[in-house]
């Protein structure tokens, strides 16, 4: 199982703090989150993605026990 956590406005928009899932890639996790939250998988792929404390990419592989975090992309002006 992989622990998936949402932070920032993602958490506010979806009302979901996170979940545990049996996924093997970040892309698969994005698809799962899309189904769970009503957002698109593309929205999750645009986020800052962190695996076990290290920034990663949407095509990264996951292993049993990994912690996958999604952070809202920030902007300002």
């Amino acid at each position: 199982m992989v622990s998936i956590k949402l932070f920032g406005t993602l958490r506010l928009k979806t009302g979901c703090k996170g979940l545990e899932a049996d996924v093997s890639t970040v892309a698969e996790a994005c698809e799962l989150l899309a189904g769970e939250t009503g957002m698109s998988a593309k929205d999750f792929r645009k986020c800052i993605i962190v695996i076990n404390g290290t920034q990663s990419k949407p095509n990264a592989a996951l292993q049993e026990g990994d912690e996958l975090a999604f952070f809202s992309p920030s902007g300002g002006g």
Side-chain angles (χ1 to χ4, degrees):
M1 295 294 260
V2 173
S3 176
I4 304 171
K5 297 183 179 182
L6 303 179
F7 294 94
T9 56
L10 284 176
R11 185 180 281 189
L12 294 174
K13 278 184 182 179
T14 63
C16 177
K17 291 181 179 181
L19 50 92
E20 298 281 324
D22 189 19
V23 291
S24 58
T25 65
V26 173
E28 191 177 335
C30 291
E31 293 293 333
L32 175 72
L33 286 168
E36 292 287 323
T37 65
M39 292 178 65
S40 75
K42 185 177 180 180
D43 290 334
F44 288 103
R45 288 191 297 270
K46 290 180 182 178
C47 292
I48 297 166
I49 299 166
V50 178
I51 301 171
N52 300 326
T54 303
Q55 192 166 348
S56 191
K57 303 220 181 258
N59 61 349
L62 297 167
Q63 297 190 18
E64 181 77 23
D66 281 347
E67 181 178 276
L68 172 62
F70 289 88
F71 293 85
S72 304
S74 60

Short mmCIF file of all heavy atoms in Angstrom, two decimals:
data_model
loop_
_atom_site.label_atom_id
_atom_site.label_comp_id
_atom_site.label_asym_id
_atom_site.label_seq_id
_atom_site.Cartn_x
_atom_site.Cartn_y
_atom_site.Cartn_z
N MET A 1 0.83 -1.18 0.00
CA MET A 1 0.00 0.00 0.00
C MET A 1 0.88 1.25 0.00
O MET A 1 1.94 1.27 0.59
CB MET A 1 -0.90 0.03 1.23
CG MET A 1 -1.93 -1.09 1.28
SD MET A 1 -3.12 -0.95 -0.02
CE MET A 1 -4.45 -0.23 0.85
N VAL A 2 0.37 2.27 -0.65
CA VAL A 2 1.02 3.57 -0.71
C VAL A 2 0.13 4.56 0.03
O VAL A 2 -1.09 4.56 -0.15
CB VAL A 2 1.22 4.01 -2.18
CG1 VAL A 2 1.73 5.43 -2.27
CG2 VAL A 2 2.16 3.05 -2.91
N SER A 3 0.74 5.39 0.84
CA SER A 3 0.00 6.43 1.55
C SER A 3 0.00 7.68 0.67
O SER A 3 1.06 8.20 0.33
CB SER A 3 0.69 6.72 2.88
OG SER A 3 0.05 7.79 3.53
N ILE A 4 -1.18 8.14 0.29
CA ILE A 4 -1.32 9.31 -0.58
C ILE A 4 -1.91 10.45 0.24
O ILE A 4 -2.94 10.28 0.90
CB ILE A 4 -2.25 9.00 -1.78
CG1 ILE A 4 -1.73 7.80 -2.56
CG2 ILE A 4 -2.37 10.22 -2.67
CD1 ILE A 4 -2.69 7.28 -3.61
N LYS A 5 -1.23 11.60 0.22
CA LYS A 5 -1.68 12.74 1.00
C LYS A 5 -1.83 13.96 0.11
O LYS A 5 -1.05 14.16 -0.82
CB LYS A 5 -0.69 13.03 2.13
CG LYS A 5 -0.59 11.88 3.10
CD LYS A 5 0.33 12.19 4.23
CE LYS A 5 0.36 10.99 5.18
NZ LYS A 5 1.20 11.24 6.32
N LEU A 6 -2.84 14.77 0.41
CA LEU A 6 -3.09 16.01 -0.33
C LEU A 6 -2.86 17.19 0.60
O LEU A 6 -3.25 17.15 1.77
CB LEU A 6 -4.52 16.05 -0.86
CG LEU A 6 -4.95 14.89 -1.76
CD1 LEU A 6 -6.39 15.08 -2.18
CD2 LEU A 6 -4.06 14.76 -2.96
N PHE A 7 -2.27 18.26 0.06
CA PHE A 7 -1.98 19.45 0.86
C PHE A 7 -2.43 20.70 0.12
O PHE A 7 -2.66 20.69 -1.08
CB PHE A 7 -0.47 19.54 1.13
CG PHE A 7 0.04 18.44 2.02
CD1 PHE A 7 0.57 17.29 1.47
CD2 PHE A 7 -0.03 18.56 3.39
CE1 PHE A 7 1.05 16.27 2.27
CE2 PHE A 7 0.43 17.54 4.21
CZ PHE A 7 0.97 16.40 3.66
N GLY A 8 -2.53 21.79 0.86
CA GLY A 8 -2.86 23.08 0.28
C GLY A 8 -4.29 23.16 -0.22
O GLY A 8 -5.20 22.56 0.35
N THR A 9 -4.47 23.89 -1.32
CA THR A 9 -5.82 24.07 -1.84
C THR A 9 -6.40 22.76 -2.38
O THR A 9 -7.62 22.64 -2.47
CB THR A 9 -5.86 25.15 -2.95
OG1 THR A 9 -4.94 24.81 -3.98
CG2 THR A 9 -5.53 26.52 -2.40
N LEU A 10 -5.56 21.80 -2.70
CA LEU A 10 -6.08 20.48 -3.11
C LEU A 10 -6.94 19.89 -2.01
O LEU A 10 -8.02 19.35 -2.25
CB LEU A 10 -4.94 19.51 -3.41
CG LEU A 10 -4.19 19.67 -4.69
CD1 LEU A 10 -3.05 18.67 -4.75
CD2 LEU A 10 -5.11 19.49 -5.87
N ARG A 11 -6.45 19.99 -0.79
CA ARG A 11 -7.18 19.45 0.35
C ARG A 11 -8.49 20.22 0.56
O ARG A 11 -9.52 19.64 0.83
CB ARG A 11 -6.32 19.54 1.61
CG ARG A 11 -6.96 18.89 2.82
CD ARG A 11 -6.10 18.98 4.02
NE ARG A 11 -5.05 17.96 3.96
CZ ARG A 11 -4.24 17.67 4.96
NH1 ARG A 11 -4.33 18.33 6.10
NH2 ARG A 11 -3.34 16.74 4.84
N LEU A 12 -8.41 21.53 0.39
CA LEU A 12 -9.61 22.36 0.56
C LEU A 12 -10.64 22.09 -0.55
O LEU A 12 -11.83 21.98 -0.28
CB LEU A 12 -9.24 23.84 0.57
CG LEU A 12 -8.38 24.31 1.74
CD1 LEU A 12 -7.96 25.76 1.54
CD2 LEU A 12 -9.13 24.14 3.04
N LYS A 13 -10.18 22.00 -1.80
CA LYS A 13 -11.09 21.77 -2.94
C LYS A 13 -11.78 20.42 -2.86
O LYS A 13 -12.94 20.28 -3.21
CB LYS A 13 -10.31 21.81 -4.26
CG LYS A 13 -10.04 23.16 -4.81
CD LYS A 13 -9.35 22.97 -6.15
CE LYS A 13 -8.98 24.26 -6.81
NZ LYS A 13 -8.29 24.04 -8.08
N THR A 14 -11.03 19.40 -2.46
CA THR A 14 -11.56 18.04 -2.51
C THR A 14 -12.17 17.57 -1.20
O THR A 14 -12.96 16.63 -1.19
CB THR A 14 -10.45 17.04 -2.89
OG1 THR A 14 -9.45 17.06 -1.86
CG2 THR A 14 -9.83 17.38 -4.23
N GLY A 15 -11.77 18.19 -0.10
CA GLY A 15 -12.23 17.72 1.21
C GLY A 15 -11.58 16.41 1.61
O GLY A 15 -11.99 15.75 2.54
N CYS A 16 -10.53 16.04 0.89
CA CYS A 16 -9.84 14.76 1.12
C CYS A 16 -8.43 15.04 1.63
O CYS A 16 -7.66 15.74 0.98
CB CYS A 16 -9.79 13.99 -0.21
SG CYS A 16 -8.89 12.44 -0.13
N LYS A 17 -8.10 14.48 2.80
CA LYS A 17 -6.75 14.63 3.34
C LYS A 17 -5.80 13.62 2.69
O LYS A 17 -4.62 13.87 2.55
CB LYS A 17 -6.74 14.41 4.84
CG LYS A 17 -7.43 15.49 5.61
CD LYS A 17 -7.36 15.21 7.09
CE LYS A 17 -8.04 16.31 7.87
NZ LYS A 17 -7.96 16.09 9.31
N GLY A 18 -6.34 12.47 2.32
CA GLY A 18 -5.51 11.44 1.73
C GLY A 18 -6.17 10.08 1.83
O GLY A 18 -7.29 9.96 2.32
N LEU A 19 -5.44 9.08 1.35
CA LEU A 19 -5.95 7.71 1.39
C LEU A 19 -4.81 6.72 1.22
O LEU A 19 -3.70 7.11 0.88
CB LEU A 19 -7.02 7.51 0.32
CG LEU A 19 -6.72 7.92 -1.12
CD1 LEU A 19 -6.15 6.76 -1.89
CD2 LEU A 19 -7.98 8.41 -1.77
N GLU A 20 -5.09 5.49 1.49
CA GLU A 20 -4.15 4.38 1.28
C GLU A 20 -4.60 3.64 0.03
O GLU A 20 -5.80 3.38 -0.13
CB GLU A 20 -4.16 3.43 2.47
CG GLU A 20 -3.75 4.05 3.78
CD GLU A 20 -2.25 4.20 3.92
OE1 GLU A 20 -1.52 3.32 3.43
OE2 GLU A 20 -1.82 5.21 4.49
N ALA A 21 -3.66 3.32 -0.85
CA ALA A 21 -4.05 2.64 -2.08
C ALA A 21 -2.95 1.71 -2.57
O ALA A 21 -1.78 1.90 -2.27
CB ALA A 21 -4.36 3.68 -3.16
N ASP A 22 -3.36 0.74 -3.33
CA ASP A 22 -2.44 -0.21 -3.94
C ASP A 22 -2.19 0.25 -5.38
O ASP A 22 -2.87 -0.18 -6.31
CB ASP A 22 -3.04 -1.61 -3.91
CG ASP A 22 -2.04 -2.67 -4.33
OD1 ASP A 22 -0.83 -2.40 -4.29
OD2 ASP A 22 -2.47 -3.77 -4.69
N VAL A 23 -1.23 1.18 -5.55
CA VAL A 23 -0.89 1.73 -6.86
C VAL A 23 0.61 1.56 -7.09
O VAL A 23 1.39 1.52 -6.14
CB VAL A 23 -1.28 3.22 -6.98
CG1 VAL A 23 -2.79 3.38 -7.00
CG2 VAL A 23 -0.69 4.06 -5.87
N SER A 24 1.01 1.46 -8.36
CA SER A 24 2.43 1.23 -8.65
C SER A 24 3.11 2.40 -9.35
O SER A 24 4.32 2.39 -9.52
CB SER A 24 2.59 -0.04 -9.49
OG SER A 24 1.85 0.09 -10.69
N THR A 25 2.34 3.41 -9.76
CA THR A 25 2.93 4.59 -10.39
C THR A 25 2.18 5.84 -9.90
O THR A 25 1.04 5.76 -9.47
CB THR A 25 2.85 4.55 -11.93
OG1 THR A 25 1.47 4.59 -12.31
CG2 THR A 25 3.53 3.32 -12.51
N VAL A 26 2.84 6.98 -10.05
CA VAL A 26 2.19 8.25 -9.71
C VAL A 26 1.00 8.48 -10.64
O VAL A 26 -0.06 8.93 -10.21
CB VAL A 26 3.19 9.42 -9.79
CG1 VAL A 26 2.48 10.75 -9.61
CG2 VAL A 26 4.29 9.25 -8.75
N ALA A 27 1.15 8.14 -11.92
CA ALA A 27 0.06 8.32 -12.89
C ALA A 27 -1.17 7.52 -12.46
O ALA A 27 -2.30 8.00 -12.56
CB ALA A 27 0.52 7.91 -14.28
N GLU A 28 -0.96 6.31 -11.98
CA GLU A 28 -2.07 5.48 -11.50
C GLU A 28 -2.73 6.13 -10.28
O GLU A 28 -3.96 6.12 -10.15
CB GLU A 28 -1.54 4.10 -11.15
CG GLU A 28 -2.59 3.06 -10.90
CD GLU A 28 -2.00 1.68 -10.62
OE1 GLU A 28 -0.87 1.39 -11.05
OE2 GLU A 28 -2.70 0.91 -9.95
N ALA A 29 -1.93 6.72 -9.40
CA ALA A 29 -2.47 7.42 -8.24
C ALA A 29 -3.28 8.63 -8.67
O ALA A 29 -4.33 8.92 -8.08
CB ALA A 29 -1.34 7.84 -7.31
N CYS A 30 -2.82 9.34 -9.71
CA CYS A 30 -3.56 10.50 -10.22
C CYS A 30 -4.93 10.08 -10.74
O CYS A 30 -5.94 10.75 -10.49
CB CYS A 30 -2.78 11.18 -11.34
SG CYS A 30 -1.29 12.02 -10.80
N GLU A 31 -4.98 8.95 -11.45
CA GLU A 31 -6.26 8.44 -11.96
C GLU A 31 -7.18 8.05 -10.81
O GLU A 31 -8.38 8.35 -10.83
CB GLU A 31 -6.03 7.23 -12.88
CG GLU A 31 -5.32 7.55 -14.17
CD GLU A 31 -6.14 8.42 -15.12
OE1 GLU A 31 -7.39 8.39 -15.07
OE2 GLU A 31 -5.53 9.16 -15.90
N LEU A 32 -6.63 7.41 -9.80
CA LEU A 32 -7.42 7.01 -8.63
C LEU A 32 -7.98 8.25 -7.92
O LEU A 32 -9.16 8.30 -7.59
CB LEU A 32 -6.56 6.20 -7.67
CG LEU A 32 -7.24 5.82 -6.36
CD1 LEU A 32 -8.30 4.76 -6.58
CD2 LEU A 32 -6.22 5.35 -5.36
N LEU A 33 -7.13 9.25 -7.70
CA LEU A 33 -7.57 10.48 -7.04
C LEU A 33 -8.64 11.20 -7.85
O LEU A 33 -9.59 11.75 -7.29
CB LEU A 33 -6.39 11.40 -6.79
CG LEU A 33 -5.46 10.98 -5.66
CD1 LEU A 33 -4.18 11.80 -5.70
CD2 LEU A 33 -6.15 11.12 -4.32
N ALA A 34 -8.50 11.17 -9.16
CA ALA A 34 -9.50 11.81 -10.03
C ALA A 34 -10.86 11.16 -9.80
O ALA A 34 -11.87 11.85 -9.66
CB ALA A 34 -9.08 11.71 -11.49
N GLY A 35 -10.89 9.85 -9.75
CA GLY A 35 -12.14 9.14 -9.52
C GLY A 35 -12.72 9.39 -8.14
O GLY A 35 -13.93 9.46 -7.97
N GLU A 36 -11.84 9.55 -7.16
CA GLU A 36 -12.28 9.76 -5.77
C GLU A 36 -12.75 11.19 -5.50
O GLU A 36 -13.60 11.41 -4.65
CB GLU A 36 -11.15 9.42 -4.79
CG GLU A 36 -10.78 7.97 -4.74
CD GLU A 36 -11.81 7.12 -4.02
OE1 GLU A 36 -12.40 7.59 -3.02
OE2 GLU A 36 -12.03 5.98 -4.45
N THR A 37 -12.16 12.16 -6.21
CA THR A 37 -12.41 13.57 -5.87
C THR A 37 -13.24 14.34 -6.88
O THR A 37 -13.72 15.43 -6.57
CB THR A 37 -11.08 14.32 -5.71
OG1 THR A 37 -10.40 14.36 -6.98
CG2 THR A 37 -10.19 13.68 -4.66
N GLY A 38 -13.36 13.85 -8.10
CA GLY A 38 -14.08 14.58 -9.13
C GLY A 38 -13.20 15.55 -9.91
O GLY A 38 -13.65 16.17 -10.87
N MET A 39 -11.95 15.71 -9.51
CA MET A 39 -11.01 16.52 -10.28
C MET A 39 -10.44 15.65 -11.39
O MET A 39 -10.61 14.43 -11.37
CB MET A 39 -9.87 17.02 -9.38
CG MET A 39 -10.32 18.03 -8.33
SD MET A 39 -8.98 18.55 -7.23
CE MET A 39 -7.89 19.40 -8.37
N SER A 40 -9.75 16.24 -12.34
CA SER A 40 -9.17 15.44 -13.41
C SER A 40 -7.78 14.95 -13.02
O SER A 40 -7.09 15.56 -12.20
CB SER A 40 -9.08 16.25 -14.71
OG SER A 40 -8.02 17.18 -14.64
N ALA A 41 -7.37 13.84 -13.61
CA ALA A 41 -6.03 13.31 -13.37
C ALA A 41 -4.98 14.33 -13.81
O ALA A 41 -3.93 14.45 -13.20
CB ALA A 41 -5.85 11.99 -14.12
N LYS A 42 -5.29 15.09 -14.85
CA LYS A 42 -4.37 16.12 -15.35
C LYS A 42 -4.12 17.17 -14.27
O LYS A 42 -3.00 17.65 -14.13
CB LYS A 42 -4.96 16.77 -16.60
CG LYS A 42 -4.07 17.76 -17.27
CD LYS A 42 -4.72 18.29 -18.54
CE LYS A 42 -3.82 19.30 -19.22
NZ LYS A 42 -4.43 19.81 -20.45
N ASP A 43 -5.15 17.53 -13.50
CA ASP A 43 -4.98 18.48 -12.40
C ASP A 43 -3.96 17.98 -11.40
O ASP A 43 -3.13 18.75 -10.90
CB ASP A 43 -6.31 18.73 -11.68
CG ASP A 43 -7.30 19.52 -12.52
OD1 ASP A 43 -6.88 20.29 -13.40
OD2 ASP A 43 -8.52 19.36 -12.29
N PHE A 44 -3.99 16.70 -11.09
CA PHE A 44 -3.04 16.14 -10.13
C PHE A 44 -1.63 16.04 -10.72
O PHE A 44 -0.65 16.23 -10.00
CB PHE A 44 -3.52 14.77 -9.63
CG PHE A 44 -4.69 14.88 -8.71
CD1 PHE A 44 -5.98 14.58 -9.16
CD2 PHE A 44 -4.54 15.31 -7.40
CE1 PHE A 44 -7.07 14.69 -8.32
CE2 PHE A 44 -5.62 15.43 -6.55
CZ PHE A 44 -6.89 15.12 -7.01
N ARG A 45 -1.52 15.76 -12.01
CA ARG A 45 -0.20 15.69 -12.64
C ARG A 45 0.49 17.05 -12.69
O ARG A 45 1.71 17.12 -12.78
CB ARG A 45 -0.31 15.09 -14.03
CG ARG A 45 -0.62 13.58 -14.03
CD ARG A 45 -0.45 12.96 -15.40
NE ARG A 45 -1.37 13.49 -16.37
CZ ARG A 45 -2.58 13.01 -16.63
NH1 ARG A 45 -3.02 11.96 -15.97
NH2 ARG A 45 -3.35 13.55 -17.54
N LYS A 46 -0.27 18.14 -12.61
CA LYS A 46 0.29 19.49 -12.62
C LYS A 46 0.80 19.92 -11.25
O LYS A 46 1.44 20.95 -11.12
CB LYS A 46 -0.75 20.50 -13.09
CG LYS A 46 -1.11 20.39 -14.54
CD LYS A 46 -2.15 21.44 -14.89
CE LYS A 46 -2.57 21.35 -16.33
NZ LYS A 46 -3.62 22.35 -16.63
N CYS A 47 0.52 19.15 -10.23
CA CYS A 47 0.90 19.49 -8.86
C CYS A 47 2.38 19.24 -8.61
O CYS A 47 3.06 18.59 -9.40
CB CYS A 47 0.10 18.64 -7.88
SG CYS A 47 -1.65 19.04 -7.86
N ILE A 48 2.83 19.74 -7.48
CA ILE A 48 4.16 19.38 -7.00
C ILE A 48 4.01 18.00 -6.38
O ILE A 48 3.18 17.80 -5.48
CB ILE A 48 4.67 20.40 -5.97
CG1 ILE A 48 4.81 21.78 -6.64
CG2 ILE A 48 5.99 19.95 -5.36
CD1 ILE A 48 4.97 22.93 -5.68
N ILE A 49 4.77 17.06 -6.87
CA ILE A 49 4.65 15.65 -6.46
C ILE A 49 5.89 15.28 -5.65
O ILE A 49 7.02 15.49 -6.11
CB ILE A 49 4.51 14.75 -7.70
CG1 ILE A 49 3.24 15.12 -8.46
CG2 ILE A 49 4.51 13.28 -7.30
CD1 ILE A 49 3.15 14.53 -9.85
N VAL A 50 5.68 14.73 -4.47
CA VAL A 50 6.78 14.36 -3.58
C VAL A 50 6.62 12.91 -3.15
O VAL A 50 5.56 12.52 -2.67
CB VAL A 50 6.81 15.30 -2.35
CG1 VAL A 50 7.92 14.90 -1.39
CG2 VAL A 50 6.97 16.75 -2.79
N ILE A 51 7.68 12.13 -3.34
CA ILE A 51 7.69 10.73 -2.90
C ILE A 51 8.73 10.60 -1.81
O ILE A 51 9.92 10.88 -2.04
CB ILE A 51 8.01 9.76 -4.06
CG1 ILE A 51 6.98 9.90 -5.18
CG2 ILE A 51 8.06 8.32 -3.55
CD1 ILE A 51 7.35 9.13 -6.45
N ASN A 52 8.29 10.21 -0.63
CA ASN A 52 9.19 10.02 0.52
C ASN A 52 10.09 11.23 0.75
O ASN A 52 11.29 11.10 1.00
CB ASN A 52 10.03 8.75 0.34
CG ASN A 52 9.17 7.53 0.23
OD1 ASN A 52 8.12 7.42 0.85
ND2 ASN A 52 9.61 6.57 -0.57
N GLY A 53 9.54 12.43 0.60
CA GLY A 53 10.28 13.65 0.87
C GLY A 53 11.12 14.19 -0.27
O GLY A 53 11.78 15.21 -0.11
N THR A 54 11.09 13.54 -1.42
CA THR A 54 11.87 13.98 -2.57
C THR A 54 10.95 14.32 -3.72
O THR A 54 10.10 13.50 -4.10
CB THR A 54 12.86 12.87 -3.02
OG1 THR A 54 13.70 12.54 -1.92
CG2 THR A 54 13.72 13.34 -4.18
N GLN A 55 11.13 15.52 -4.29
CA GLN A 55 10.28 15.92 -5.41
C GLN A 55 10.45 14.94 -6.57
O GLN A 55 11.55 14.48 -6.86
CB GLN A 55 10.60 17.34 -5.87
CG GLN A 55 9.56 17.88 -6.82
CD GLN A 55 9.65 19.37 -7.03
OE1 GLN A 55 10.34 20.07 -6.30
NE2 GLN A 55 8.95 19.86 -8.02
N SER A 56 9.35 14.62 -7.22
CA SER A 56 9.34 13.61 -8.27
C SER A 56 8.52 14.07 -9.46
O SER A 56 8.01 15.18 -9.49
CB SER A 56 8.79 12.31 -7.70
OG SER A 56 9.00 11.25 -8.59
N LYS A 57 8.39 13.18 -10.42
CA LYS A 57 7.65 13.46 -11.66
C LYS A 57 6.42 12.56 -11.75
O LYS A 57 6.35 11.51 -11.12
CB LYS A 57 8.56 13.22 -12.86
CG LYS A 57 9.83 14.04 -12.80
CD LYS A 57 10.17 14.55 -14.15
CE LYS A 57 11.45 15.35 -14.09
NZ LYS A 57 11.24 16.75 -14.10
N PRO A 58 5.45 12.95 -12.60
CA PRO A 58 4.21 12.17 -12.72
C PRO A 58 4.40 10.75 -13.27
O PRO A 58 3.52 9.92 -13.12
CB PRO A 58 3.37 12.99 -13.70
CG PRO A 58 3.91 14.36 -13.63
CD PRO A 58 5.38 14.21 -13.32
N ASN A 59 5.54 10.46 -13.89
CA ASN A 59 5.75 9.12 -14.44
C ASN A 59 6.57 8.21 -13.52
O ASN A 59 6.98 7.13 -13.91
CB ASN A 59 6.41 9.21 -15.82
CG ASN A 59 7.77 9.87 -15.77
OD1 ASN A 59 8.17 10.44 -14.76
ND2 ASN A 59 8.49 9.81 -16.87
N ALA A 60 6.79 8.64 -12.28
CA ALA A 60 7.62 7.88 -11.34
C ALA A 60 6.92 6.61 -10.86
O ALA A 60 5.70 6.56 -10.75
CB ALA A 60 7.99 8.75 -10.15
N ALA A 61 7.73 5.61 -10.56
CA ALA A 61 7.23 4.35 -10.00
C ALA A 61 7.11 4.48 -8.49
O ALA A 61 7.83 5.25 -7.85
CB ALA A 61 8.18 3.22 -10.36
N LEU A 62 6.20 3.70 -7.93
CA LEU A 62 5.99 3.66 -6.48
C LEU A 62 6.21 2.25 -5.97
O LEU A 62 6.02 1.28 -6.71
CB LEU A 62 4.56 4.10 -6.15
CG LEU A 62 4.19 5.53 -6.52
CD1 LEU A 62 2.69 5.73 -6.42
CD2 LEU A 62 4.92 6.51 -5.62
N GLN A 63 6.61 2.16 -4.70
CA GLN A 63 6.81 0.86 -4.09
C GLN A 63 6.00 0.77 -2.80
O GLN A 63 5.59 1.78 -2.23
CB GLN A 63 8.29 0.66 -3.79
CG GLN A 63 9.12 0.64 -5.06
CD GLN A 63 10.54 0.21 -4.81
OE1 GLN A 63 10.85 -0.38 -3.78
NE2 GLN A 63 11.41 0.48 -5.75
N GLU A 64 5.80 -0.44 -2.35
CA GLU A 64 5.09 -0.71 -1.11
C GLU A 64 5.67 0.15 0.01
O GLU A 64 6.88 0.22 0.18
CB GLU A 64 5.23 -2.19 -0.76
CG GLU A 64 4.51 -2.61 0.48
CD GLU A 64 3.01 -2.75 0.28
OE1 GLU A 64 2.57 -2.94 -0.85
OE2 GLU A 64 2.30 -2.66 1.29
N GLY A 65 4.79 0.84 0.75
CA GLY A 65 5.22 1.64 1.88
C GLY A 65 5.61 3.07 1.56
O GLY A 65 5.91 3.84 2.47
N ASP A 66 5.61 3.45 0.28
CA ASP A 66 5.96 4.83 -0.09
C ASP A 66 4.90 5.80 0.41
O ASP A 66 3.73 5.45 0.56
CB ASP A 66 6.07 4.99 -1.61
CG ASP A 66 7.39 4.50 -2.17
OD1 ASP A 66 8.33 4.24 -1.38
OD2 ASP A 66 7.49 4.38 -3.40
N GLU A 67 5.34 7.04 0.65
CA GLU A 67 4.42 8.12 0.96
C GLU A 67 4.45 9.10 -0.23
O GLU A 67 5.49 9.63 -0.57
CB GLU A 67 4.84 8.86 2.24
CG GLU A 67 3.87 9.98 2.57
CD GLU A 67 4.23 10.69 3.84
OE1 GLU A 67 3.84 10.19 4.92
OE2 GLU A 67 4.91 11.72 3.75
N LEU A 68 3.30 9.27 -0.83
CA LEU A 68 3.14 10.12 -2.01
C LEU A 68 2.34 11.35 -1.60
O LEU A 68 1.25 11.22 -1.06
CB LEU A 68 2.42 9.35 -3.12
CG LEU A 68 2.00 10.12 -4.36
CD1 LEU A 68 3.21 10.70 -5.09
CD2 LEU A 68 1.21 9.20 -5.28
N ALA A 69 2.91 12.52 -1.83
CA ALA A 69 2.23 13.76 -1.45
C ALA A 69 2.02 14.65 -2.67
O ALA A 69 2.90 14.75 -3.54
CB ALA A 69 3.04 14.50 -0.39
N PHE A 70 0.87 15.27 -2.72
CA PHE A 70 0.54 16.23 -3.77
C PHE A 70 0.35 17.59 -3.14
O PHE A 70 -0.45 17.74 -2.22
CB PHE A 70 -0.77 15.83 -4.49
CG PHE A 70 -0.63 14.61 -5.35
CD1 PHE A 70 -0.83 13.35 -4.81
CD2 PHE A 70 -0.33 14.71 -6.70
CE1 PHE A 70 -0.73 12.21 -5.60
CE2 PHE A 70 -0.23 13.59 -7.47
CZ PHE A 70 -0.41 12.33 -6.94
N PHE A 71 1.09 18.59 -3.64
CA PHE A 71 0.99 19.95 -3.16
C PHE A 71 0.46 20.81 -4.29
O PHE A 71 0.91 20.67 -5.45
CB PHE A 71 2.36 20.49 -2.73
CG PHE A 71 2.91 19.81 -1.52
CD1 PHE A 71 3.64 18.62 -1.64
CD2 PHE A 71 2.72 20.34 -0.26
CE1 PHE A 71 4.16 18.00 -0.53
CE2 PHE A 71 3.24 19.70 0.86
CZ PHE A 71 3.96 18.53 0.74
N SER A 72 -0.43 21.71 -3.97
CA SER A 72 -0.97 22.63 -4.98
C SER A 72 0.16 23.46 -5.56
O SER A 72 1.02 23.93 -4.81
CB SER A 72 -1.98 23.58 -4.34
OG SER A 72 -2.99 22.88 -3.70
N PRO A 73 0.15 23.64 -6.89
CA PRO A 73 1.15 24.54 -7.45
C PRO A 73 0.86 25.95 -6.95
O PRO A 73 -0.31 26.34 -6.82
CB PRO A 73 0.94 24.42 -8.96
CG PRO A 73 -0.37 23.79 -9.15
CD PRO A 73 -0.73 23.09 -7.88
N SER A 74 1.89 26.68 -6.62
CA SER A 74 1.66 28.02 -6.07
C SER A 74 1.77 29.06 -7.17
O SER A 74 2.38 28.83 -8.21
CB SER A 74 2.65 28.32 -4.95
OG SER A 74 3.96 28.26 -5.44
N GLY A 75 1.15 30.15 -6.94
CA GLY A 75 1.22 31.26 -7.86
C GLY A 75 1.08 32.54 -7.08
O GLY A 75 0.74 32.56 -5.92
N GLY A 76 1.37 33.59 -7.70
CA GLY A 76 1.26 34.86 -7.01
C GLY A 76 1.23 36.00 -7.99
O GLY A 76 1.28 35.81 -9.19
N GLY A 77 1.16 37.15 -7.45
CA GLY A 77 1.17 38.29 -8.34
C GLY A 77 0.72 39.52 -7.64
O GLY A 77 0.38 39.61 -6.54
#
